[in-house]
mmCIF file of all heavy atoms in Angstrom:
data_model
loop_
_atom_site.group_PDB
_atom_site.id
_atom_site.type_symbol
_atom_site.label_atom_id
_atom_site.label_comp_id
_atom_site.label_asym_id
_atom_site.label_seq_id
_atom_site.Cartn_x
_atom_site.Cartn_y
_atom_site.Cartn_z
ATOM 1 N N LEU A 1 19.083 -1.803 27.719
ATOM 2 C CA LEU A 1 18.958 -2.101 26.299
ATOM 3 C C LEU A 1 20.176 -2.878 25.836
ATOM 4 O O LEU A 1 21.308 -2.475 26.109
ATOM 5 C CB LEU A 1 18.833 -0.809 25.490
ATOM 6 C CG LEU A 1 17.657 0.101 25.836
ATOM 7 C CD1 LEU A 1 17.706 1.376 25.011
ATOM 8 C CD2 LEU A 1 16.334 -0.620 25.612
ATOM 9 N N ALA A 2 19.927 -3.964 25.137
ATOM 10 C CA ALA A 2 21.011 -4.786 24.611
ATOM 11 C C ALA A 2 20.882 -4.861 23.098
ATOM 12 O O ALA A 2 19.886 -5.357 22.586
ATOM 13 C CB ALA A 2 20.954 -6.183 25.218
ATOM 14 N N GLU A 3 21.874 -4.341 22.408
ATOM 15 C CA GLU A 3 21.875 -4.349 20.946
ATOM 16 C C GLU A 3 22.714 -5.514 20.442
ATOM 17 O O GLU A 3 23.695 -5.908 21.073
ATOM 18 C CB GLU A 3 22.450 -3.044 20.417
ATOM 19 C CG GLU A 3 21.637 -1.823 20.805
ATOM 20 C CD GLU A 3 22.489 -0.607 21.038
ATOM 21 O OE1 GLU A 3 23.652 -0.795 21.460
ATOM 22 O OE2 GLU A 3 22.007 0.520 20.839
ATOM 23 N N SER A 4 22.351 -6.012 19.294
ATOM 24 C CA SER A 4 23.134 -7.061 18.657
ATOM 25 C C SER A 4 23.004 -6.925 17.148
ATOM 26 O O SER A 4 22.108 -6.262 16.639
ATOM 27 C CB SER A 4 22.668 -8.442 19.115
ATOM 28 O OG SER A 4 21.313 -8.645 18.759
ATOM 29 N N GLY A 5 23.899 -7.590 16.455
ATOM 30 C CA GLY A 5 23.927 -7.491 15.007
ATOM 31 C C GLY A 5 24.919 -6.439 14.573
ATOM 32 O O GLY A 5 25.823 -6.074 15.310
ATOM 33 N N GLY A 6 24.748 -5.920 13.388
ATOM 34 C CA GLY A 6 25.696 -4.953 12.854
ATOM 35 C C GLY A 6 26.887 -5.664 12.238
ATOM 36 O O GLY A 6 26.870 -6.862 12.018
ATOM 37 N N GLY A 7 27.923 -4.913 11.947
ATOM 38 C CA GLY A 7 29.110 -5.474 11.328
ATOM 39 C C GLY A 7 29.446 -4.756 10.034
ATOM 40 O O GLY A 7 29.084 -3.594 9.848
ATOM 41 N N SER A 8 30.116 -5.477 9.152
ATOM 42 C CA SER A 8 30.578 -4.888 7.895
ATOM 43 C C SER A 8 29.910 -5.576 6.709
ATOM 44 O O SER A 8 29.696 -6.789 6.730
ATOM 45 C CB SER A 8 32.093 -5.024 7.778
ATOM 46 O OG SER A 8 32.739 -4.330 8.820
ATOM 47 N N VAL A 9 29.634 -4.796 5.692
ATOM 48 C CA VAL A 9 28.987 -5.326 4.492
ATOM 49 C C VAL A 9 29.381 -4.474 3.298
ATOM 50 O O VAL A 9 29.730 -3.296 3.457
ATOM 51 C CB VAL A 9 27.452 -5.340 4.680
ATOM 52 C CG1 VAL A 9 26.903 -3.926 4.750
ATOM 53 C CG2 VAL A 9 26.768 -6.166 3.607
ATOM 54 N N ASP A 10 29.349 -5.045 2.130
ATOM 55 C CA ASP A 10 29.609 -4.285 0.908
ATOM 56 C C ASP A 10 28.369 -3.482 0.526
ATOM 57 O O ASP A 10 27.239 -3.845 0.865
ATOM 58 C CB ASP A 10 29.980 -5.205 -0.244
ATOM 59 C CG ASP A 10 31.321 -5.877 -0.032
ATOM 60 O OD1 ASP A 10 32.178 -5.301 0.684
ATOM 61 O OD2 ASP A 10 31.528 -6.970 -0.586
ATOM 62 N N ALA A 11 28.596 -2.411 -0.191
ATOM 63 C CA ALA A 11 27.485 -1.585 -0.660
ATOM 64 C C ALA A 11 26.489 -2.439 -1.436
ATOM 65 O O ALA A 11 26.874 -3.312 -2.221
ATOM 66 C CB ALA A 11 28.005 -0.456 -1.540
ATOM 67 N N GLY A 12 25.218 -2.197 -1.177
ATOM 68 C CA GLY A 12 24.162 -2.979 -1.806
ATOM 69 C C GLY A 12 23.697 -4.151 -0.980
ATOM 70 O O GLY A 12 22.653 -4.754 -1.267
ATOM 71 N N GLY A 13 24.451 -4.453 0.062
ATOM 72 C CA GLY A 13 24.098 -5.578 0.920
ATOM 73 C C GLY A 13 23.088 -5.200 1.985
ATOM 74 O O GLY A 13 22.575 -4.074 2.026
ATOM 75 N N SER A 14 22.802 -6.170 2.847
ATOM 76 C CA SER A 14 21.813 -5.987 3.903
ATOM 77 C C SER A 14 22.383 -6.396 5.249
ATOM 78 O O SER A 14 23.267 -7.252 5.328
ATOM 79 C CB SER A 14 20.569 -6.830 3.614
ATOM 80 O OG SER A 14 19.943 -6.446 2.415
ATOM 81 N N LEU A 15 21.857 -5.779 6.281
ATOM 82 C CA LEU A 15 22.200 -6.136 7.647
ATOM 83 C C LEU A 15 20.952 -5.979 8.505
ATOM 84 O O LEU A 15 20.057 -5.200 8.174
ATOM 85 C CB LEU A 15 23.298 -5.231 8.208
ATOM 86 C CG LEU A 15 24.740 -5.504 7.825
ATOM 87 C CD1 LEU A 15 25.651 -4.408 8.390
ATOM 88 C CD2 LEU A 15 25.196 -6.859 8.315
ATOM 89 N N ARG A 16 20.939 -6.697 9.607
ATOM 90 C CA ARG A 16 19.857 -6.546 10.557
ATOM 91 C C ARG A 16 20.445 -6.363 11.942
ATOM 92 O O ARG A 16 21.346 -7.108 12.350
ATOM 93 C CB ARG A 16 18.921 -7.762 10.537
ATOM 94 C CG ARG A 16 17.701 -7.559 11.412
ATOM 95 C CD ARG A 16 16.707 -8.662 11.235
ATOM 96 N NE ARG A 16 17.187 -9.935 11.737
ATOM 97 C CZ ARG A 16 16.460 -11.041 11.745
ATOM 98 N NH1 ARG A 16 15.220 -11.024 11.248
ATOM 99 N NH2 ARG A 16 16.948 -12.156 12.221
ATOM 100 N N ILE A 17 19.950 -5.389 12.650
ATOM 101 C CA ILE A 17 20.366 -5.163 14.025
ATOM 102 C C ILE A 17 19.141 -5.259 14.915
ATOM 103 O O ILE A 17 18.007 -4.989 14.476
ATOM 104 C CB ILE A 17 21.080 -3.806 14.213
ATOM 105 C CG1 ILE A 17 20.225 -2.654 13.684
ATOM 106 C CG2 ILE A 17 22.433 -3.827 13.535
ATOM 107 C CD1 ILE A 17 20.897 -1.283 13.876
ATOM 108 N N SER A 18 19.347 -5.680 16.138
ATOM 109 C CA SER A 18 18.233 -5.864 17.053
ATOM 110 C C SER A 18 18.524 -5.227 18.395
ATOM 111 O O SER A 18 19.684 -5.005 18.762
ATOM 112 C CB SER A 18 17.937 -7.350 17.226
ATOM 113 O OG SER A 18 19.040 -8.004 17.815
ATOM 114 N N CYS A 19 17.455 -4.964 19.098
ATOM 115 C CA CYS A 19 17.549 -4.355 20.418
ATOM 116 C C CYS A 19 16.531 -5.020 21.321
ATOM 117 O O CYS A 19 15.360 -5.168 20.943
ATOM 118 C CB CYS A 19 17.275 -2.858 20.323
ATOM 119 S SG CYS A 19 17.309 -1.994 21.904
ATOM 120 N N ALA A 20 16.975 -5.401 22.487
ATOM 121 C CA ALA A 20 16.083 -6.013 23.464
ATOM 122 C C ALA A 20 16.083 -5.170 24.730
ATOM 123 O O ALA A 20 17.155 -4.852 25.260
ATOM 124 C CB ALA A 20 16.536 -7.429 23.778
ATOM 125 N N ALA A 21 14.904 -4.820 25.181
ATOM 126 C CA ALA A 21 14.764 -4.033 26.400
ATOM 127 C C ALA A 21 14.393 -4.940 27.567
ATOM 128 O O ALA A 21 13.584 -5.847 27.419
ATOM 129 C CB ALA A 21 13.702 -2.955 26.210
ATOM 130 N N SER A 22 14.981 -4.673 28.700
ATOM 131 C CA SER A 22 14.667 -5.439 29.895
ATOM 132 C C SER A 22 14.614 -4.502 31.091
ATOM 133 O O SER A 22 15.069 -3.366 31.025
ATOM 134 C CB SER A 22 15.700 -6.544 30.124
ATOM 135 O OG SER A 22 16.985 -5.986 30.303
ATOM 136 N N GLY A 23 14.062 -5.005 32.169
ATOM 137 C CA GLY A 23 13.934 -4.180 33.356
ATOM 138 C C GLY A 23 12.508 -3.695 33.536
ATOM 139 O O GLY A 23 11.565 -4.394 33.245
ATOM 140 N N GLN A 24 12.351 -2.472 33.951
ATOM 141 C CA GLN A 24 11.038 -1.926 34.291
ATOM 142 C C GLN A 24 10.351 -1.326 33.074
ATOM 143 O O GLN A 24 10.116 -0.115 32.998
ATOM 144 C CB GLN A 24 11.188 -0.896 35.406
ATOM 145 C CG GLN A 24 11.745 -1.494 36.695
ATOM 146 C CD GLN A 24 11.979 -0.437 37.763
ATOM 147 O OE1 GLN A 24 12.282 0.715 37.465
ATOM 148 N NE2 GLN A 24 11.840 -0.830 39.007
ATOM 149 N N THR A 25 10.005 -2.205 32.135
ATOM 150 C CA THR A 25 9.313 -1.745 30.934
ATOM 151 C C THR A 25 7.811 -1.783 31.154
ATOM 152 O O THR A 25 7.298 -2.660 31.856
ATOM 153 C CB THR A 25 9.663 -2.608 29.723
ATOM 154 O OG1 THR A 25 9.282 -3.962 29.989
ATOM 155 C CG2 THR A 25 11.157 -2.568 29.433
ATOM 156 N N LEU A 26 7.116 -0.835 30.549
ATOM 157 C CA LEU A 26 5.664 -0.798 30.617
ATOM 158 C C LEU A 26 5.084 -1.401 29.352
ATOM 159 O O LEU A 26 5.811 -1.681 28.394
ATOM 160 C CB LEU A 26 5.193 0.651 30.781
ATOM 161 C CG LEU A 26 5.743 1.390 32.010
ATOM 162 C CD1 LEU A 26 5.247 2.833 32.008
ATOM 163 C CD2 LEU A 26 5.353 0.668 33.286
#
């Protein structure tokens, strides 16, 4: 699993984080 995104933001703001799975996925 590889995560990306995140970080710092002021209250009321938005963020998006993602996850990509690789390998022996069904």
